Amino acid sequence: MPSSQRRARERASTRDRIIEAALHVLENDGSAALTIRRIATDVEYSAPVVYQHFANKEALVLELVAYGHGLLLAELQEALGESGIDQRMLRIAAGYVRFAGAHPHLYEVMNGTAVPADERRRAAEPAVDVLKDQLITWSQAHDVMLTDLDEACEIIWGTVYGLASLGGLGTIGNERAQRLAEQAVHAILLGWRTGTPLR
Amino acid sequence: MPSSQRRARERASTRDRIIEAALHVLENDGSAALTIRRIATDVEYSAPVVYQHFANKEALVLELVAYGHGLLLAELQEALGESGIDQRMLRIAAGYVRFAGAHPHLYEVMNGTAVPADERRRAAEPAVDVLKDQLITWSQAHDVMLTDLDEACEIIWGTVYGLASLGGLGTIGNERAQRLAEQAVHAILLGWRTGTPLR
DNA sequence: TTAGGAATTCTAACAGCGTTAGGAAGCAGG
DNA sequence: CCTGCTTCCTAACGCTGTTAGAATTCCTAA
């Protein structure tokens, strides 16, 4: 009975096609156009078919978020090609901001409130871990004892996130936002190296 | 004909009541509950009445955003009581994060995509100006020449914004987010003082 | 005082959203 | 053939923001 296998393949295939269509809609027409009916129409199905592959819209969007974090991860790993830990940290910051600028709608969904906070956090984990790794080697390279690694990581991550979001906010261009992020990270790392305690 | 004046007063009054009701709904039940019908019900009117006072929902939400930035401004100005420019900068950062934690739903609307980016920016301007002022006195106090004041301001603002949003994301508490924001700003300022050029 | 016009408010409706129920079509195996 | 299973669609529900039109009230002016 190879037919059941073919059925399963077809199922998975249309599932993927739905995701791709959703991604296409999101990147082209923004999150406001990301409706079940629109997606279904694009894959030439009626709306209820989507619910045979995803429990609800949130589950589908979560898939887009996962995909987005895959892209982000790739961008960050590209930054790891840089030799020299300090350069690498700056490239990570710039890479993050560049990603946000290259995929504004996807980035918006990844960080918006359409998906619950804990799921967002889980999706971001691998990317955060890349930063955490680099932060470890940075602290070793400069012989800096970071009192709390997670805290330090969140400072960097939060900073870059803030500047990326501000960059997407429009007034400042993406290249400038990249430079600002680099500058901010540079300053923060420098502050940690000179090790002036806070108060 | 004082009646027309009374009418005008009444009009303005119900307009205010609508805003207050909307704020109440938002702060209590979150942005998902912020519907025209819900607000209208709370002020004991039918839904279309809202449209006699606001062109559309966005205009009403924009009013909430303005109110929120008023609150934020007050919080920041409270930080100006601190003597010593460095302490003041840290208190601004902590105050911003505290505000985000104290009014999470309002903060979400203030920075979410429900309102277009340029209007968000305009609403935030007074609060940003407070930071800019302090940044000027800081640069003078430490005899630091900031190549671009606006850029520096945006770095700080973006950083604090990022950490505040991360703080609201749940895992890390608000007090900790405040400390992280202080630490980040501290590090950035220290970096600017030691003035190591970027690359 | 009364007629008329303006302002106010309501109900009903429209288009769109996410989502679900029920039935029609096609395909598998006995 | 025919029974069961999967797949798919139409129709609908309840919700959203928003608008049209009628009804009511209130103020003004003759």
Side-chain angles (χ1 to χ4, degrees):
Chain A
M1 69 299 276
S3 63
S4 68
Q5 293 184 16
R6 191 205 58 203
R7 295 289 201 107
R9 259 199 322 255
E10 282 175 358
R11 262 194 72 81
S13 156
T14 71
R15 206 190 113 102
D16 289 351
R17 278 179 54 219
I18 291 174
I19 295 178
E20 281 166 32
L23 229 99
H24 194 255
V25 170
L26 178 60
E27 298 240 27
N28 285 314
D29 299 353
S31 64
L34 194 69
T35 70
I36 298 291
R37 284 179 176 87
R38 165 71 189 275
I39 297 166
T41 301
D42 282 16
V43 289
E44 294 180 303
Y45 277 116
S46 70
V49 171
V50 174
Y51 291 89
Q52 289 178 348
H53 301 274
F54 303 93
N56 46 37
K57 189 184 180 182
E58 190 190 303
L60 171 52
V61 170
L62 200 58
E63 215 80 17
L64 305 188
V65 171
Y67 172 80
H69 273 101
L71 280 189
L72 174 58
L73 194 60
E75 176 85 53
L76 295 192
Q77 276 164 344
E78 208 163 308
L80 299 187
E82 198 83 34
S83 69
I85 179 61
D86 289 272
Q87 301 295 333
R88 222 144 53 208
M89 293 295 287
L90 297 190
R91 280 265 313 211
I92 285 178
Y96 184 102
V97 175
R98 171 171 25 214
F99 168 81
H103 309 277
H105 296 129
L106 187 53
Y107 181 78
E108 174 194 327
V109 168
M110 286 165 63
N111 295 103
T113 51
V115 130
D118 51 339
E119 311 219 42
R120 285 210 304 274
R121 219 177 166 70
R122 271 197 25 237
E125 210 159 307
V128 175
D129 284 345
V130 167
L131 172 61
K132 200 175 292 186
D133 275 0
Q134 294 309 306
L135 204 47
I136 290 176
T137 68
W138 178 90
S139 75
Q140 290 171 345
H142 292 290
D143 210 30
V144 172
M145 182 61 196
L146 293 173
T147 55
D148 188 335
L149 178 65
D150 289 333
E151 207 164 276
C153 187
E154 269 165 306
I155 289 182
I156 302 280
W157 190 262
T159 301
V160 175
Y161 161 75
L163 289 168
S165 302
L166 227 66
L169 218 116
T171 309
I172 64 181
N174 185 264
E175 292 86 8
R176 184 150 166 258
Q178 287 182 42
R179 278 182 26 239
L180 295 192
E182 284 181 344
Q183 206 174 322
V185 169
H186 179 75
I188 290 175
L189 293 181
L190 192 64
W192 284 341
R193 249 169 44 177
T194 56
T196 312
L198 183 58
R199 288 199 266 204
Chain B
M1 71 296 276
S3 62
S4 68
Q5 293 184 16
R6 193 204 58 205
R7 294 287 202 109
R9 260 199 320 258
E10 282 175 357
R11 263 193 72 82
S13 157
T14 70
R15 205 190 112 102
D16 289 351
R17 278 179 54 220
I18 290 175
I19 295 178
E20 282 166 31
L23 240 122
H24 195 254
V25 171
L26 179 60
E27 298 242 26
N28 286 316
D29 299 353
S31 65
L34 194 69
T35 70
I36 298 290
R37 284 179 176 86
R38 164 70 188 277
I39 297 166
T41 301
D42 282 16
V43 289
E44 293 179 304
Y45 277 115
S46 69
V49 170
V50 174
Y51 292 88
Q52 288 181 346
H53 300 274
F54 303 92
N56 46 38
K57 190 183 180 182
E58 190 189 303
L60 170 53
V61 169
L62 198 59
E63 215 80 18
L64 304 187
V65 170
Y67 172 81
H69 274 101
L71 280 188
L72 174 58
L73 194 61
E75 176 85 54
L76 296 190
Q77 275 164 345
E78 206 163 310
L80 299 187
E82 198 82 34
S83 69
I85 180 60
D86 290 272
Q87 301 293 333
R88 222 144 52 208
M89 291 297 285
L90 297 190
R91 280 265 313 212
I92 285 178
Y96 184 102
V97 175
R98 177 185 4 229
F99 168 81
H103 309 276
H105 296 129
L106 187 53
Y107 181 78
E108 174 194 328
V109 168
M110 286 164 64
N111 294 104
T113 51
V115 130
D118 52 338
E119 311 219 42
R120 286 211 303 275
R121 218 176 167 72
R122 273 198 23 237
E125 210 160 306
V128 175
D129 284 344
V130 167
L131 172 61
K132 200 174 293 185
D133 275 359
Q134 294 308 306
L135 204 47
I136 291 175
T137 69
W138 177 89
S139 75
Q140 290 171 344
H142 292 290
D143 210 30
V144 172
M145 183 60 194
L146 293 173
T147 55
D148 188 336
L149 178 64
D150 289 333
E151 206 165 278
C153 189
E154 269 166 304
I155 288 183
I156 302 279
W157 189 262
T159 300
V160 174
Y161 161 75
L163 290 168
S165 302
L166 229 66
L169 218 115
T171 308
I172 65 182
N174 185 264
E175 291 86 7
R176 183 148 166 260
Q178 286 181 42
R179 279 183 24 241
L180 295 191
E182 285 181 342
Q183 206 174 322
V185 169
H186 179 75
I188 290 175
L189 293 181
L190 192 63
W192 285 341
R193 249 172 42 180
T194 57
T196 311
L198 184 58
R199 290 198 260 206

